[in-house]
Amino acid sequence: MPLAALVLLLLTGTLVPINRKFRETPGGIPVFVASNGLHTDVVVPTQDARTGLDWRPLLTASGQPARPAAYPFVAFGWGNAGFYRSSRGGHTPGVGTTLRAALPSPTLLHVSWCAGPPQPGTRVAALRISAAQYEALAATIRASFQADSVGRFVPAVMLGYTAQDHFFEARGRYHVLRTCNDWTNRILRRAGLRAALKAPLAGSVLYQVQHVPKTRNH
């Protein structure tokens, strides 16, 4: 693909909505897209009675410490393994790490336990979705984890940044056309939620989610 065409796709893909007819489900399951300005996470309930989905056994069966009920939400982010390692201690990944990430490279899933829902704002978009949409969203997240021979998620050797987060081995390769934000965008798109045609940047994902028409009884 010529460079000019690639740049055009990345820039205009933000403005082109997929699943443009998506509308929120009043009283539906709360999900969030949260950004730190560069990276996006999908935040969901730790357990949901309507679908019966409970993330705790899935995320603790692989030797990870159990988390108490004080963490009602859990955040998922997918990204370049080198970026995650270079970000320890609040550091910004260097130029070398950034350039290497442009080529296909290993990935990790970052899982963070949350004491409450993110507060909607410039960098956080909130949605209410149906049980069927949530099950589809959760299935795509689960499919991003590497699993062992008996289906358990494989924990990464790398420790988390805090006591409330940890890393797992992930499926897929990171590169310039498959970024962390593209992963978040794909999670939304496959669940039938409004998403961008292409979302290389955090703002690309949030732009479409924040343009979902709000419903009454939200």
Side-chain angles (χ1 to χ4, degrees):
M1 179 182 292
L3 179 59
L6 173 61
V7 172
L8 182 63
L9 171 64
L10 296 180
L11 291 178
T12 61
T14 296
L15 304 176
V16 179
I18 302 298
N19 302 324
R20 68 172 64 225
K21 294 183 179 180
F22 165 76
R23 295 295 183 270
E24 292 187 87
T25 299
I29 299 168
V31 300
F32 305 84
V33 176
S35 167
N36 63 4
L38 298 175
H39 170 87
T40 49
D41 286 338
V42 179
V43 186
V44 301
T46 300
Q47 57 182 143
D48 173 67
R50 281 165 282 190
T51 60
L53 202 158
D54 187 344
W55 289 100
R56 291 174 300 180
L58 295 172
L59 298 172
T60 59
S62 301
Q64 298 293 336
R67 297 299 175 187
Y71 298 102
F73 287 86
V74 59
F76 296 93
W78 178 95
N80 177 272
F83 262 78
Y84 281 131
R85 293 190 179 97
S86 298
S87 298
R88 293 190 65 81
H91 295 120
T92 300
V95 174
T97 300
T98 302
L99 293 176
R100 285 191 294 273
L103 300 175
S105 48
T107 55
L108 294 172
L109 273 156
H110 185 219
V111 177
S112 304
W113 301 98
C114 306
Q119 294 303 305
T122 304
R123 293 185 175 181
V124 176
L127 295 173
R128 291 276 183 169
I129 66 176
S130 70
Q133 290 165 338
Y134 182 59
E135 288 175 337
L137 182 146
T140 306
I141 292 175
R142 287 198 301 266
S144 299
F145 285 85
Q146 284 191 29
D148 62 18
S149 59
V150 294
R152 296 174 301 189
F153 297 159
V154 178
V157 175
M158 177 179 169
L159 295 175
Y161 301 136
T162 70
Q164 285 73 48
D165 70 287
H166 45 266
F167 288 92
F168 287 87
E169 298 294 339
R171 296 181 184 273
R173 307 287 281 181
Y174 187 103
H175 52 79
V176 69
L177 293 178
R178 182 61 60 84
T179 67
C180 54
N181 299 307
D182 181 70
W183 178 84
T184 300
N185 193 65
R186 192 165 70 254
I187 296 294
L188 302 175
R189 185 177 69 240
R190 291 184 177 178
L193 314 185
R194 183 164 176 141
L197 175 64
K198 196 64 181 173
L201 305 175
S204 304
V205 184
L206 288 170
Y207 177 82
Q208 290 299 338
V209 178
Q210 290 173 336
H211 277 74
V212 173
K214 289 300 177 184
T215 59
R216 294 181 181 272
N217 301 318
H218 187 266

